[in-house]
Amino acid sequence: MFDIITNRDSNVKNDVLSGITVALALVPEAVAFAFVAGVEPMIGLYAAFIMGLITSAIGGRPGMISGATGAMAVVMVALVAEHGVQYLFAAVLLAGVLQILCGIFRLGKFIRLVPYPVMLGFVNGLAIVIFLAQLGQFKVVNAMGDLQWMQGTMLYWMLGLVALTMAIIYLLPKLTTAVPASLVAIVTVTLLVHGLDLEARTVIDFVRDLLPADQKDTATLAGELPSFAIPMVPFTWETLMIILPTAVILCLVGLIESLLTLTLIDEMTNTRGRGNKECIGQGVANTVNGFFGGMGGCAMIGQSMININSGGRGRLSGITAALVLLGFILFAAPLIEMIPLAALVGVMFVVVIATFEWASFRIIRGVNKEDAFVLFLVTAVTVIADLAIAVVVGVIVSALVFAWKHARHIEVKSHIDNDGWKVYDLEGPLFFGSVTHFKDLFDVANDPEDVVIDFQNSRIWDSSGIDALDTLADKYEERGKKLHIRHISSECRGLLRKAGKFVEMNVNEDPRYRVATDELA
């Protein structure tokens, strides 16, 4: 619908201008997620700066933007509420160390296990989540202190300015690509609102709505440089047990979201990031957050899409975004505070349109029902619950679907050879899902005295398959019949208890493969 993703090469001008655009969009997101986590706005802004700077400098995916995120913020709420912000800093620090270890032990490769339907569901679910998050900007605080939907002139101006922002982003690239369309749209709408004194909410209005009544008049985004401090928590086993569960979840959520976003950007830019290096980059950034008073974070798909859309491809784009954000905090807070929310909402709406995989509607008509179900399931769980939960659920369901489909693929062809022996030629995998069907393939009672089971076109995958073969061999032995088992691997022979003595060894023809079991470990 909107052809805004291009494969332009990285250059300094595009990266710098794109970084400025991303910095503008980072401010309200960082503030909002700080309040979700129950911490002060500056802690969220510090996290956005530190995450963006370090991951852009040493991470594995140039052009990807990291910062404070909602997925991690919701995990922090209980810890902050019960033990305070210092325990949060300690948990973020520990999560960073765990992420570094994941990178060192090269666990980033496991992101390849995420099936394509899960990726589609992840992308579509995040697009919907980003869209729903922007709807909160259409609410204002009434006289009773409650949020209600905008009405009248304010609503009309909000809708009109959002539409104007989207129109500029869509039309400007047709005239020139010298500057990012998103940046031009934000600047234009800001000048229009303040030049004509229009009734439009700004970033500082958004911050005031989140603060208690006694702090609204002093609301500001101005701050100072983050300072080094060791988290003020007791260095005891009890403290470790308090922060460890949160740290593990933060580690996993951060890596899942970051690596999936990395994969998405890879596909959009026809390049390839380095997953294990990104794990280390995320870990270092979160570790530094713990020492410098940030709430931590991970890759941000919305801001990453803004960056890619604006032409940011290199590390300089993320570094620029982080440094510009710090500049806003230190020197230009009043300028950021006056940006209309409508301009930022318009940018994010364009991101939603670009992120959503519209082709999935066509794909659904062409794929099997199982893949379509997984796609819708992951999309729904992402919207209702959480990204990490959605991905785990999607992978598990996909694995079960895979097992169910392959469980039906085991077949047998039988014949009587020249010696009067009955030969069962197996085809397909023998594993936990197919053992029931495997047992029904044999006619133990009516088979002749000599029976051959040939695994030339079959494989035993796990201990369930080994046990099924042992059980079958026991049945033939009870009836006094001779069983001959051919063409299984040496590891299978070592695992068989009852059927092992029936295996005919043929070094030249027997296959070599492993069985998924811990028995030989």
Side-chain angles (χ1 to χ4, degrees):
M1 185 176 292
F2 276 59
D3 184 18
I4 65 173
I5 303 298
T6 62
N7 293 322
R8 289 173 288 183
D9 294 331
S10 172
N11 64 66
V12 173
K13 184 204 71 176
N14 286 345
D15 283 350
V16 170
L17 293 177
S18 177
I20 296 172
T21 306
V22 171
L24 297 174
L26 277 172
V27 175
E29 294 270 337
V31 172
F33 294 144
F35 280 101
V36 169
V39 298
E40 297 177 359
M42 201 53 61
I43 294 177
L45 292 170
Y46 286 159
F49 161 65
I50 295 171
M51 292 297 302
L53 181 65
I54 295 177
T55 57
S56 296
I58 66 173
R61 175 66 261 182
M64 188 165 74
I65 305 298
S66 296
T69 60
M72 295 187 71
V74 295
V75 178
M76 305 171 181
V77 177
L79 181 64
V80 174
E82 187 172 351
H83 298 284
V85 71
Q86 293 298 324
Y87 279 82
L88 171 62
F89 296 152
V92 169
L93 193 160
L94 180 57
V97 173
L98 295 175
Q99 289 176 331
I100 293 173
L101 293 176
C102 288
I104 291 174
F105 290 105
R106 308 184 69 81
L107 301 183
K109 61 187 176 183
F110 287 107
I111 199 65
R112 302 171 191 167
L113 296 178
V114 178
Y116 183 63
V118 176
M119 276 296 299
L120 286 181
F122 154 75
V123 171
N124 292 347
L126 278 186
I128 296 172
V129 169
I130 294 172
F131 172 78
L132 294 176
Q134 306 314 306
L135 297 183
Q137 310 301 341
F138 289 85
K139 294 181 178 180
V140 294
V141 178
N142 59 23
M144 302 295 295
D146 299 322
L147 285 175
Q148 67 177 28
W149 293 101
M150 290 180 179
Q151 297 178 356
T153 306
M154 180 179 291
L155 175 61
Y156 299 143
W157 277 120
M158 182 74 170
L159 294 173
L161 293 172
V162 169
L164 175 61
T165 303
M166 297 178 68
I168 293 173
I169 295 173
Y170 178 61
L171 297 174
L172 184 61
K174 299 180 182 298
L175 301 176
T176 179
T177 57
V179 291
S182 299
L183 180 58
V184 173
I186 293 173
V187 173
T188 301
V189 172
T190 301
L191 293 176
L192 183 65
V193 166
H194 293 281
L196 300 179
D197 196 21
L198 302 179
E199 186 180 0
R201 285 167 49 79
T202 61
V203 170
I204 195 60
D205 294 325
F206 171 75
V207 175
R208 289 194 183 102
D209 288 345
L210 297 174
L211 291 173
D214 58 341
Q215 299 180 22
K216 291 183 183 294
D217 294 337
T218 59
T220 180
L221 293 177
E224 56 187 19
L225 282 171
S227 56
F228 177 85
I230 297 175
M232 292 185 292
V233 298
F235 290 90
T236 62
W237 179 258
E238 181 182 0
T239 299
L240 179 61
M241 290 299 98
I242 291 173
I243 65 174
L244 183 60
T246 302
V248 171
I249 297 174
L250 289 175
C251 168
L252 296 178
V253 170
L255 290 186
I256 290 173
E257 185 159 357
S258 298
L259 292 175
L260 286 178
T261 304
L262 179 148
T263 304
L264 178 62
I265 295 177
D266 284 353
E267 294 179 359
M268 289 182 167
T269 58
N270 292 323
T271 57
R272 182 169 181 175
R274 298 171 60 186
N276 292 313
K277 188 175 181 181
E278 183 61 32
C279 291
I280 295 176
Q282 293 287 331
V284 172
N286 277 307
T287 302
V288 174
N289 261 279
F291 284 122
F292 283 86
M295 61 180 283
C298 61
M300 307 180 74
I301 187 171
Q303 278 64 25
S304 297
M305 292 300 101
I306 292 175
N307 191 44
I308 299 299
N309 171 33
S310 302
R313 294 292 186 274
R315 297 185 183 277
L316 184 59
S317 59
I319 293 173
T320 300
L323 294 177
V324 171
L325 176 61
L326 180 63
F328 290 155
I329 296 172
L330 298 178
F331 311 112
L335 296 178
I336 296 301
E337 294 170 359
M338 65 190 295
I339 294 176
L341 287 175
L344 299 176
V345 171
V347 171
M348 296 306 293
F349 278 171
V350 173
V351 168
V352 169
I353 295 172
T355 302
F356 194 90
E357 190 63 58
W358 300 98
S360 59
F361 292 114
R362 296 197 303 270
I363 293 172
I364 289 172
R365 294 196 293 267
V367 300
N368 54 51
K369 295 180 180 179
E370 293 88 351
D371 285 348
F373 171 74
V374 171
L375 192 159
F376 282 119
L377 176 66
V378 174
T379 300
V381 176
T382 300
V383 174
I384 297 172
D386 178 71
L387 163 67
I389 296 175
V391 172
V392 171
V393 169
V395 171
I396 291 174
V397 172
S398 296
L400 292 176
V401 169
F402 175 84
W404 175 256
K405 291 169 67 175
H406 281 71
R408 297 177 296 177
H409 289 170
I410 190 166
E411 299 175 352
V412 67
K413 295 179 181 178
S414 61
H415 66 276
I416 305 296
D417 66 8
N418 295 332
D419 298 323
W421 294 9
K422 186 171 184 179
V423 180
Y424 287 95
D425 292 313
L426 284 178
E427 292 187 6
L430 179 58
F431 67 111
F432 69 91
S434 60
V435 292
T436 302
H437 184 48
F438 168 79
K439 295 175 182 178
D440 295 335
L441 297 174
F442 300 90
D443 189 3
V444 178
N446 298 316
D447 280 345
E449 292 297 318
D450 289 279
V451 177
V452 178
I453 303 177
D454 195 334
F455 281 85
Q456 182 73 48
N457 299 313
S458 180
R459 291 289 184 272
I460 302 175
W461 283 5
D462 60 10
S463 56
S464 296
I466 293 290
D467 182 69
L469 190 55
D470 268 333
T471 301
L472 184 64
D474 195 37
K475 290 182 179 179
Y476 277 108
E477 189 175 25
E478 287 176 356
R479 293 180 176 270
K481 299 181 179 182
K482 296 181 180 179
L483 185 64
H484 309 265
I485 301 174
R486 298 173 182 168
H487 300 126
I488 64 173
S489 73
S490 58
E491 189 174 76
C492 288
R493 290 195 296 270
L495 292 170
L496 288 170
R497 294 186 177 89
K498 297 178 180 178
K501 58 186 177 181
F502 301 120
V503 177
E504 297 180 357
M505 294 182 59
N506 189 325
V507 177
N508 294 326
E509 295 182 6
D510 286 347
R512 297 181 181 180
Y513 60 85
R514 299 291 184 182
V515 181
T517 177
D518 292 330
E519 191 166 337
L520 296 180

